[in-house]
């Protein structure tokens, strides 16, 4: 009985609570509709890195595998086409990413990726050793891609020291 009397005396307070609930529901509906409207325009790239292995048959020993280099790959997992201006490896120095370019061959890392398409760039052992032999072994190595809109995609791929150790084996 006391609760009913209190509600009758304080109906402005109850109106304010109901208005606040309505405002929260309205904001939630707006956020959900904006996110849903942006889904067809989502742009996302998944980066990967792998070693390139070669095998050879050695008489008396059997099959021997050796590391030929590394490859950087980018897969478009978004819902729209992405045009890459660079795909490869980079190291971070002085707050900037320094991209790796081969010194003895033509290098075209540009790619146009439709949804679910993949592009791959290969770097050979001699190129990697020459580029990274002067670097500090503790510098972090990244798989790096940049698109035509200026967005950078970055994924850690280890350190320069670990890369050189793997390539020298």
């Amino acid at each position: 009985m006391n609760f009913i009397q209190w509600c009758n005396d304080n109906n402005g307070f109850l109106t304010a609570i109901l208005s606040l609930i309505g405002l929260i529901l309205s904001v939630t509906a707006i956020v959900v509709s904006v996110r849903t409207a942006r889904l067809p325009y989502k742009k996302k790239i998944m980066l990967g890195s792998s070693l390139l292995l070669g095998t050879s048959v050695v008489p008396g020993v059997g099959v021997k595998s050796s590391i030929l280099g590394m490859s950087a790959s980018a897969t478009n997992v978004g819902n729209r086409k992405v045009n890459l201006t660079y795909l490869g490896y980079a190291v971070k120095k002085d707050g900037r990413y320094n991209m790796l370019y081969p010194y003895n061959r033509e290098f075209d890392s540009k790619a146009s990726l439709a949804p679910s398409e993949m592009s791959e760039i290969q770097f050979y052992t001699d190129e990697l050793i020459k580029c990274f032999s002067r670097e500090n072994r503790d510098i972090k190595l990244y798989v790096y891609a940049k698109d035509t809109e200026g967005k950078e995609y970055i994924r850690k791929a280890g350190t320069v020291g670990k890369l050189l150790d793997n390539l020298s084996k």
Side-chain angles (χ1 to χ4, degrees), residues 140-151:
K140 291 183 178 149
L141 180 66
Y142 298 93
V143 179
Y144 180 87
K146 189 172 186 178
D147 66 14
T148 54
E149 297 173 7
K151 183 170 181 182

Side-chain angles (χ1 to χ4, degrees), residues 54-58 62-66:
T55 58
S56 59
V57 178
V58 179
V63 178
K64 182 180 177 186
S65 63
S66 60

Side-chain angles (χ1 to χ4, degrees), residues 3 8 17 20 22 34 56 58 89 110 125-126 136 144 150-151 155 158 162 164:
F3 180 71
N8 286 337
I17 289 178
L20 184 62
V34 167
S56 59
V58 179
Y89 292 96
K110 295 179 181 176
T125 304
D126 59 337
N136 182 353
Y144 180 87
K151 183 170 181 182
R155 181 173 184 239
K162 283 185 182 179
L164 293 175

